[in-house]
Coordinates of all heavy atoms in Angstrom, one line a residue:
M236 N 15.4 -3.0 4.4 CA 14.1 -2.5 4.7 C 13.1 -2.9 3.6 O 11.9 -3.1 3.8 CB 14.1 -1.0 4.9 CG 14.8 -0.6 6.2 SD 14.2 -1.4 7.7 CE 12.6 -0.6 7.8
R237 N 13.6 -2.9 2.4 CA 12.7 -3.4 1.3 C 12.4 -4.9 1.4 O 11.3 -5.3 1.2 CB 13.4 -3.2 -0.1 CG 13.3 -1.7 -0.6 CD 14.0 -1.5 -1.9 NE 15.3 -1.1 -1.7 CZ 16.4 -1.5 -2.4 NH1 16.2 -2.5 -3.3 NH2 17.6 -1.1 -2.2
L238 N 13.4 -5.7 1.9 CA 13.2 -7.1 2.1 C 12.2 -7.3 3.2 O 11.3 -8.1 3.1 CB 14.6 -7.7 2.5 CG 14.7 -9.2 2.4 CD1 14.7 -9.7 1.0 CD2 15.9 -9.7 3.1
K239 N 12.4 -6.5 4.3 CA 11.5 -6.6 5.5 C 10.1 -6.1 5.2 O 9.1 -6.4 5.8 CB 12.1 -5.9 6.7 CG 13.2 -6.6 7.3 CD 13.6 -6.0 8.6 CE 14.6 -7.0 9.3 NZ 14.0 -8.3 9.7
G240 N 10.0 -5.2 4.2 CA 8.7 -4.6 3.8 C 7.7 -5.8 3.4 O 6.6 -5.8 3.8
C241 N 8.2 -6.6 2.5 CA 7.4 -7.8 2.1 C 7.1 -8.7 3.3 O 6.0 -9.2 3.4 CB 8.1 -8.5 1.0 SG 7.9 -7.8 -0.7
E242 N 8.1 -9.0 4.0 CA 8.0 -10.0 5.1 C 7.0 -9.5 6.2 O 6.3 -10.2 6.8 CB 9.3 -10.3 5.7 CG 10.2 -11.1 4.7 CD 11.6 -11.3 5.1 OE1 12.0 -10.7 6.2 OE2 12.4 -12.0 4.5
T243 N 7.1 -8.1 6.5 CA 6.2 -7.5 7.4 C 4.8 -7.6 7.0 O 3.8 -7.8 7.8 CB 6.6 -6.1 7.7 OG1 7.9 -6.1 8.3 CG2 5.6 -5.4 8.7
A244 N 4.5 -7.3 5.7 CA 3.2 -7.4 5.1 C 2.6 -8.8 5.3 O 1.4 -8.9 5.7 CB 3.2 -7.0 3.7
V245 N 3.4 -9.8 5.1 CA 3.0 -11.2 5.2 C 2.7 -11.5 6.7 O 1.7 -12.1 7.1 CB 4.0 -12.2 4.7 CG1 3.5 -13.6 4.9 CG2 4.1 -11.9 3.2
Q246 N 3.6 -11.0 7.6 CA 3.3 -11.2 9.1 C 2.0 -10.6 9.5 O 1.3 -11.2 10.3 CB 4.5 -10.6 9.9 CG 5.8 -11.3 9.8 CD 6.9 -10.7 10.6 OE1 6.9 -9.5 10.8 NE2 7.9 -11.4 10.9
V247 N 1.7 -9.4 9.0 CA 0.5 -8.7 9.4 C -0.7 -9.5 8.9 O -1.7 -9.7 9.6 CB 0.5 -7.3 8.9 CG1 -0.9 -6.6 9.0 CG2 1.5 -6.4 9.6
A248 N -0.6 -10.0 7.6 CA -1.7 -10.8 7.0 C -1.9 -12.1 7.8 O -3.0 -12.5 8.1 CB -1.4 -11.1 5.6
E249 N -0.8 -12.7 8.3 CA -0.9 -13.9 9.1 C -1.6 -13.6 10.4 O -2.4 -14.5 10.9 CB 0.5 -14.5 9.3 CG 1.1 -15.1 8.1 CD 2.6 -15.6 8.3 OE1 3.2 -14.9 9.1 OE2 2.9 -16.6 7.8
Y250 N -1.4 -12.5 11.0 CA -2.0 -12.2 12.3 C -3.5 -12.1 12.1 O -4.3 -12.7 12.9 CB -1.5 -10.8 12.8 CG -2.3 -10.3 13.9 CD1 -2.2 -10.8 15.2 CD2 -3.3 -9.3 13.7 CE1 -2.9 -10.3 16.3 CE2 -4.0 -8.8 14.8 CZ -3.9 -9.3 16.0 OH -4.7 -8.9 17.1
F251 N -4.0 -11.4 11.0 CA -5.4 -11.3 10.8 C -6.0 -12.6 10.4 O -7.2 -12.9 10.8 CB -5.7 -10.2 9.8 CG -5.5 -8.8 10.3 CD1 -4.5 -8.0 9.8 CD2 -6.4 -8.2 11.2 CE1 -4.3 -6.7 10.3 CE2 -6.2 -7.0 11.7 CZ -5.1 -6.2 11.2
R252 N -5.3 -13.4 9.7 CA -5.8 -14.8 9.3 C -6.0 -15.6 10.6 O -7.0 -16.3 10.7 CB -4.9 -15.5 8.4 CG -5.3 -16.9 8.0 CD -4.3 -17.6 7.2 NE -3.0 -17.8 7.9 CZ -1.9 -18.3 7.3 NH1 -1.9 -18.6 6.0 NH2 -0.8 -18.4 8.0
D253 N -5.1 -15.5 11.5 CA -5.2 -16.3 12.8 C -6.4 -15.8 13.6 O -6.8 -16.5 14.5 CB -3.9 -16.1 13.6 CG -2.7 -16.8 12.9 OD1 -2.9 -17.6 12.0 OD2 -1.5 -16.5 13.3
Q254 N -6.9 -14.6 13.4 CA -8.1 -14.1 14.1 C -9.3 -14.6 13.4 O -10.5 -14.3 13.8 CB -8.1 -12.6 14.1 CG -6.8 -11.9 14.6 CD -6.4 -12.5 15.9 OE1 -7.1 -12.5 16.9 NE2 -5.1 -12.9 16.0
G255 N -9.2 -15.4 12.4 CA -10.4 -16.0 11.7 C -10.9 -15.1 10.6 O -12.1 -15.4 10.1
L256 N -10.2 -14.1 10.1 CA -10.6 -13.2 9.1 C -10.1 -13.6 7.7 O -9.1 -14.3 7.6 CB -10.2 -11.8 9.4 CG -10.6 -11.2 10.8 CD1 -10.0 -9.9 11.0 CD2 -12.2 -11.1 10.8
D257 N -10.9 -13.2 6.7 CA -10.4 -13.4 5.3 C -9.6 -12.2 4.9 O -10.1 -11.0 4.9 CB -11.6 -13.6 4.4 CG -12.3 -14.9 4.6 OD1 -11.7 -15.9 4.9 OD2 -13.6 -14.9 4.5
V258 N -8.4 -12.4 4.5 CA -7.5 -11.3 4.2 C -7.1 -11.3 2.7 O -6.9 -12.4 2.1 CB -6.1 -11.5 5.0 CG1 -5.2 -10.3 4.7 CG2 -6.5 -11.6 6.5
L259 N -7.1 -10.1 2.1 CA -6.6 -9.9 0.8 C -5.2 -9.3 0.9 O -5.1 -8.1 1.4 CB -7.5 -9.0 -0.1 CG -7.1 -8.7 -1.5 CD1 -7.0 -10.0 -2.3 CD2 -8.0 -7.7 -2.2
L260 N -4.2 -10.0 0.5 CA -2.8 -9.5 0.5 C -2.4 -9.1 -0.9 O -2.4 -9.9 -1.8 CB -1.9 -10.6 1.1 CG -0.4 -10.3 1.1 CD1 0.0 -9.1 1.9 CD2 0.4 -11.5 1.5
L261 N -2.0 -7.8 -1.0 CA -1.5 -7.3 -2.3 C 0.0 -6.8 -2.1 O 0.3 -5.9 -1.3 CB -2.3 -6.1 -2.7 CG -3.8 -6.3 -2.8 CD1 -4.6 -5.0 -3.1 CD2 -4.2 -7.3 -3.8
L262 N 0.9 -7.6 -2.7 CA 2.3 -7.2 -2.6 C 2.9 -6.7 -3.9 O 2.8 -7.4 -4.9 CB 3.1 -8.5 -2.2 CG 3.3 -8.8 -0.7 CD1 4.2 -10.0 -0.5 CD2 3.9 -7.6 0.0
D263 N 3.3 -5.5 -3.9 CA 3.8 -4.8 -5.1 C 5.2 -4.3 -4.8 O 5.4 -3.2 -4.2 CB 2.9 -3.6 -5.4 CG 3.2 -2.9 -6.7 OD1 4.0 -3.5 -7.5 OD2 2.7 -1.8 -6.9
S264 N 6.2 -5.0 -5.1 CA 6.2 -6.3 -5.9 C 7.2 -7.2 -5.4 O 8.2 -6.8 -4.7 CB 6.5 -5.9 -7.4 OG 7.9 -5.5 -7.5
I265 N 7.1 -8.5 -5.7 CA 8.1 -9.5 -5.3 C 9.3 -9.4 -6.2 O 10.4 -10.0 -5.8 CB 7.5 -10.9 -5.3 CG1 7.0 -11.4 -6.6 CG2 6.4 -11.1 -4.2 CD1 6.7 -12.9 -6.7
T266 N 9.2 -8.8 -7.3 CA 10.5 -8.5 -8.1 C 11.4 -7.7 -7.3 O 12.6 -7.9 -7.2 CB 10.1 -7.9 -9.4 OG1 9.2 -8.7 -10.1 CG2 11.4 -7.7 -10.3
R267 N 10.9 -6.6 -6.6 CA 11.7 -5.7 -5.8 C 12.3 -6.5 -4.6 O 13.4 -6.2 -4.1 CB 11.0 -4.5 -5.4 CG 10.3 -3.7 -6.5 CD 11.3 -3.1 -7.4 NE 10.7 -2.2 -8.4 CZ 11.2 -1.8 -9.5 NH1 12.4 -2.4 -9.9 NH2 10.6 -1.0 -10.4
Y268 N 11.4 -7.4 -4.1 CA 11.9 -8.3 -3.0 C 13.1 -9.1 -3.4 O 14.1 -9.2 -2.7 CB 10.7 -9.2 -2.6 CG 11.0 -10.2 -1.5 CD1 11.1 -9.8 -0.2 CD2 11.2 -11.5 -1.9 CE1 11.3 -10.8 0.8 CE2 11.5 -12.5 -0.9 CZ 11.5 -12.1 0.4 OH 11.8 -13.0 1.4
A269 N 13.0 -9.7 -4.6 CA 14.1 -10.5 -5.1 C 15.3 -9.6 -5.3 O 16.5 -10.1 -5.1 CB 13.7 -11.2 -6.4
Q270 N 15.1 -8.4 -5.9 CA 16.3 -7.6 -6.1 C 16.9 -7.1 -4.8 O 18.2 -7.0 -4.8 CB 15.8 -6.3 -6.9 CG 15.4 -6.7 -8.4 CD 14.8 -5.5 -9.1 OE1 14.4 -4.5 -8.5 NE2 14.6 -5.7 -10.4
A271 N 16.2 -6.9 -3.8 CA 16.7 -6.5 -2.5 C 17.6 -7.7 -1.9 O 18.7 -7.4 -1.4 CB 15.6 -6.1 -1.5
Q272 N 17.1 -8.9 -2.0 CA 17.8 -10.0 -1.5 C 19.1 -10.2 -2.4 O 20.1 -10.6 -1.8 CB 16.9 -11.3 -1.6 CG 17.7 -12.6 -1.3 CD 18.3 -12.6 0.1 OE1 17.9 -11.9 1.0 NE2 19.3 -13.5 0.3

Side-chain angles (χ1 to χ4, degrees):
M236 293 304 290
R237 279 180 268 138
L238 196 73
K239 287 191 169 296
C241 281
E242 295 173 352
T243 295
V245 175
Q246 286 178 339
V247 171
E249 287 175 326
Y250 168 78
F251 287 108
R252 178 184 63 189
D253 293 346
Q254 310 307 308
L256 301 173
D257 292 324
V258 182
L259 178 64
L260 171 64
L261 306 174
L262 269 185
D263 185 15
S264 67
I265 60 168
T266 303
R267 305 298 188 203
Y268 175 81
Q270 291 172 348
Q272 173 60 21

